[in-house]
Every structure is written in structure tokens, then in C-alpha cells.
Amino acid sequence: MGNDATTDTLKQAGKVIAVHINYPSRAAERGRTPEQPSYFLKPGSSLALTGGTVERPAGCELLGFEGEIALIIGKTARRVSIEDAWSYVGGVTASNDLGVYDLRWADKGSNLRSKGGDGFTPVGPAILDAADVDPAALRIRTWVNGELTQDDTTADLLFPFAQLVADLSQLLTLEPGDMILTGTPAGASVAVPGDVLEIEVDVPATGATTGRLTTTVTEGTTALAPFGAQPRIDDKQREEAWGSAEKAGLKPKEEKKTLTPELKAKLESVATATLSSQMRARGLNNVSIDGLTGTRTGRKVVGTARTLRFVPNREDLFKSHGGGYNAQKRAIDSVGEGEILVMEARGEKGTGTLGDILALRAKHNGAAAIITDGGVRDYSTVAGIDLPVYCANPHPAVLGRKHVPWDTDLTIACGGATVQPGDIIVADDDGILVIPPAIAEELVEACIVQEHQEEFIAEMVKAGHGVDGLYPMNAAWKEKYEAWAAEQV
């Protein structure tokens, strides 16, 4: 069970440092994934022990709770390496990073007033010896009035605990008793007076646990003095605090989608050859992604583009950008229903840019397809997944042989075409086209008319007519077409 977090433990805490976003689930919830960890300070006076109360300040609406794992520094750390960093952690305990969203507007990112109030950082009840636990095998859970609201593990953190300790130690000395709050997973939300919050950190493999850190929320009765910033809230803050517009009781904003179900159905009904000819008629000649082969023949794919860029491998950059929750994994994790992930691999065929695990993840997320002008690993397995994948060739080599996953959702080049996030992609066995969203509606209507005309021309050819004057149609044939078209209605 470890040792109890006592008043003496709190007295030893010189600094309380909190991490903004560290769990992939939280990053997905927030809609942003940081490239590197970022931090803020909480005053030592915000610390409290289990069994106490926390006051929602009078006049405030949104007291947010965030179950977190707290690291307690065991010995002085200054410019330590990632490899050695965990040895500087003395203990692990549960914590609650409480804060009032009503005051965020005035903090300018410091979080001092919004998250620094008395009792806003409960910790405990027990401290696990850091030497006895695997930092990648911990679990964090939060309950509100007995209902489980947060449940996650440290297996796939954006920034492992050792990295946080090493990173912070580069510029400031971490001293015994200092605490690092390591981020909260998805599910953090709002507590109201009367709620009982419970947080537990445990090691499922061994049964070791901190026990439940318990805090009861009360209503403040003393209004903030008028000479300081006053509570201010809007629907954006409500949505962030509660975790969603639905939980906040707000009507979700209706997003105007460029690719409506109606437009998608029309694009699926016309041939890529027709789309290509109509774009050429509009002066768009460089809109095909060339040289790729699809894994699912006979399939028409229509979706909106998300993008990922790989840069040529450089060993130092792969070390900083290639590991962990890198841009490739973030792109796969965030691709949504009906979206197509397009990868820029510079036409480099000598390594894989996708494998079976990431393809499975993209399919689970509802992706419509994946397009890469590089290679694909585990090709036969990927080809067996019900997800169209277009690539240059199979290749067994790992990503780091030729590429560094660099960034996402920006303008890229793939297969000789420029692709921007939000572009409409249409792909089938004939090829892959990139359609600017602004012209999609008029384009597909012109395609429908063209294919209707070509249906008439095909019937006339079958009837024995020559193509001269018929394909394309001269004035006489156009008149006959109009009469034929009228009969089809």
C-alpha cells in the first residue's frame, strides 16, 4: 500500500508543477495534440489531504476536476537524462487538479487564480514507492458520487514520466518533495456542491494502490472582492469544462459539411474519367494522384482529405520526432468517419509508411481510405482489412529507414498532386482524383449531364451510327439528344 500522505509530506512540497495534456484520450477530447510537454505552476497552499472539502468560489459556475497521477521527487534532480530520471522519483500518489474555468480568462495561461485556490490540489491518501512500480503500468480512475468517470493507464502517454522529470530538470532544479501532476485522461468534467470526488492510482498487475483520494465539493459564500478579476463564463468554456456540448446542456453547433451525403452519392455515381474531363475543362490538369495501386478492387471511395507529411530521415530528428506518439500515430488516431488520410512520402518506395496495426486503427475510426505514395508493410494483412489502401508498393522495412513522421493537416504533395486538408478525394480502379471543395457541386452536376449524353451516344453507336458528328455531338445530334432526353423523364 505504501506510506500515508501526511501533513509532513505536504510541508516538503516546494513546487507543484502540472502538465497540460499528456494522455492520448485527453488530446483527442480536446482536439489538439502537443508536440512537446508544457507546464504550469500551482502554489503549495493549494495542497490538501484526503477526506477534506473544496470550495467552489461564490459566483462561479464551473469547478472542474481532473484525476491525475502525482510524482513526488525523492532526490535533487538537475539536468538528468531520461534514462536516469525515474530514479529521482521517490513516490507516486493520486491527485486532483481542481480549477474554476470562470477565472481562466484573466489568467493569461498562468492558471494561478483559476487552479491555485486553497484546497485545489488534494493528494493521497497513500504514497507508492516509485522503486516498486513500473511507470508505464499504472492506472488512474476517478469517481463522482460513486460513478466511474475516468479510467485510463500510463501505457501510451504522449510524454512518459521519465521524460517529464528529465525535461523539467534541464532548466530548474527539482528538489525532494516537489510534485509533478502528470496530466489527466479523458472524462474530466465539472463538479457541483455536494458532489463527492474520488481518485485512485493503482498497479493492476500487483494490486498495489494509493487508496481513494476523497474530496467533497462545497459552495462558497464569500463573494470575490470587486478590485480583482470577476468570474466570466461563456458556452465555449462550458463545453471545455464539461467535456462536450451535450454534457454542458448546450445545443451542438451544426457544422456545415462540404461533402454532404447527397454530394457524396452523386460523386459515387459518376466515373473518375468523367470527373477528370470536367476538371480539365475548368483548367485543372494536375489533380490526379498517380502511380499507386489499391488493395480493394471494384471499390469506389469518396471522402475528405486529412494529411500527413514525412520528411527524409535524419537520425537526430527521428530520435526527437519518430518515437512515442508521433505525427503518424496522431494522424491515424484522429482520422474520422468518412475521412481519407493522404500521406506525403515523396514517392520513396524503399520503406513502409503504414502497417497492419495502424490500418486496423484507421478502420476502427471509420476512415474511408488511406493513400500513400510510399510503401506499405504487412501488405497481405493490410490488403485483407476492409479498408481501401492505395500505395506505391509493398515493402518490409520500418518507417525509420527512410522517413521521419513530421506534421499533420497541412498542404502536402502525394503522387504528383497537391492535397489540402478538406479536399474531396475520389478513388477507384481507374485512379485517384483531388477535387477542390468549392467546385464540387457544379462539377458533379456537369458530370451527370455528360454521362447522360454519353449514354445516348453509346445507344446510337450500338444502333450502327458513325461517330463523326456524334462524338462529340454537332447541332443536329444535340437536337436528337434533347428529344431522347425528354423521353427518358
Side-chain angles (χ1 to χ4, degrees), residues 61 121 127 135 173 218 234 337 341 350 352 364 439 459:
E61 175 186 333
T121 316
I127 299 172
T173 300
T218 64
D234 56 26
E337 185 77 29
L341 180 60
H364 172 80
I439 69 166
E459 284 195 18

Side-chain angles (χ1 to χ4, degrees), residues 16 42-49 96 98 115-123:
V16 180
K42 299 190 76 172
S45 55
S46 70
L47 290 165
L49 291 173
N96 193 343
L98 293 157
K115 286 195 170 227
D118 289 353
F120 277 24
T121 316
V123 294

Side-chain angles (χ1 to χ4, degrees), residues 102-438:
D102 310 60
L103 297 174
R104 290 175 75 187
W105 71 272
D107 268 352
K108 306 299 182 185
S110 75
N111 289 333
L112 179 60
R113 295 178 79 231
S114 60
K115 286 195 170 227
D118 289 353
F120 277 24
T121 316
V123 294
I127 299 172
L128 303 178
D129 190 332
D132 296 336
V133 301
D134 177 354
L138 297 169
R139 176 172 61 175
I140 175 77
R141 289 180 293 175
T142 302
W143 294 264
V144 179
N145 301 325
E147 181 180 346
L148 185 66
T149 59
Q150 292 185 284
D151 187 353
D152 212 331
T153 73
T154 57
D156 61 350
L157 294 174
L158 301 179
F159 314 111
F161 292 162
Q163 180 181 345
L164 300 178
V165 175
D167 182 36
L168 287 165
S169 77
Q170 301 308 300
L171 289 173
L172 58 139
T173 300
L174 298 175
E175 299 165 316
D178 286 351
M179 292 187 187
I180 303 173
L181 310 188
T182 56
T184 194
S189 192
V190 171
V192 298
D195 282 350
V196 177
L197 309 174
E198 298 175 284
I199 299 165
E200 180 184 16
V201 175
D202 68 341
V203 186
T206 66
T209 177
T210 62
R212 293 197 185 186
L213 169 67
T214 303
T215 307
T216 302
V217 180
T218 64
E219 180 69 272
T221 57
T222 304
L224 295 175
F227 45 75
Q230 299 300 297
R232 183 188 299 175
I233 208 69
D234 56 26
D235 284 349
K236 180 181 178 181
Q237 292 298 315
R238 291 185 177 93
E239 184 173 343
E240 283 211 353
W242 282 97
S244 71
E246 183 180 3
K247 289 180 181 178
L250 304 172
K251 184 178 179 181
K253 295 179 182 177
E254 293 186 6
E255 294 184 13
K256 185 179 180 181
K257 292 187 177 181
T258 302
L259 185 58
T260 63
E262 294 77 18
L263 176 57
K264 183 173 182 287
K266 289 179 181 178
L267 289 168
E268 289 172 338
S269 73
V270 298
T272 51
T274 311
L275 288 164
S276 179
S277 66
Q278 286 294 332
M279 281 196 282
R280 181 173 175 78
R282 288 161 175 75
L284 293 168
N285 297 306
N286 300 300
V287 289
S288 64
I289 298 176
D290 297 332
L292 309 185
T293 302
T295 59
R296 313 292 292 184
T297 58
R299 179 85 69 90
K300 187 69 168 281
V301 176
V302 179
T304 52
R306 297 285 301 279
T307 61
L308 166 65
R309 180 167 69 114
F310 295 107
V311 298
N313 187 35
R314 205 178 84 185
E315 288 73 12
D316 61 323
L317 295 179
F318 191 87
K319 186 175 181 180
S320 62
H321 287 74
Y325 198 59
N326 59 33
Q328 179 199 40
K329 293 177 182 177
R330 296 197 301 270
I332 292 288
D333 245 358
S334 64
V335 67
E337 185 77 29
E339 294 179 332
I340 296 174
L341 180 60
V342 185
M343 302 180 181
E344 175 185 332
R346 311 176 313 284
E348 173 55 65
K349 301 178 180 180
T351 191
T353 57
L354 177 77
D356 57 344
I357 299 299
L358 295 185
L360 282 168
R361 177 60 176 164
K363 180 184 181 303
H364 172 80
N365 288 348
I370 295 178
I371 298 171
T372 172
D373 61 356
V376 166
R377 300 180 71 218
D378 314 307
Y379 185 84
S380 60
T381 305
V382 170
I385 298 171
D386 188 22
L387 172 73
V389 174
Y390 299 83
C391 68
N393 55 269
H395 202 284
V398 295
L399 186 70
R401 182 170 184 259
K402 295 287 186 177
H403 301 299
V404 180
W406 197 252
D407 44 15
T408 62
D409 292 323
L410 73 167
T411 300
I412 63 166
C414 181
T418 297
V419 182
Q420 294 189 301
D423 281 346
I424 296 174
I425 306 294
V426 178
D428 60 15
D429 294 343
D430 283 341
I432 307 167
L433 296 175
V434 182
I435 301 174

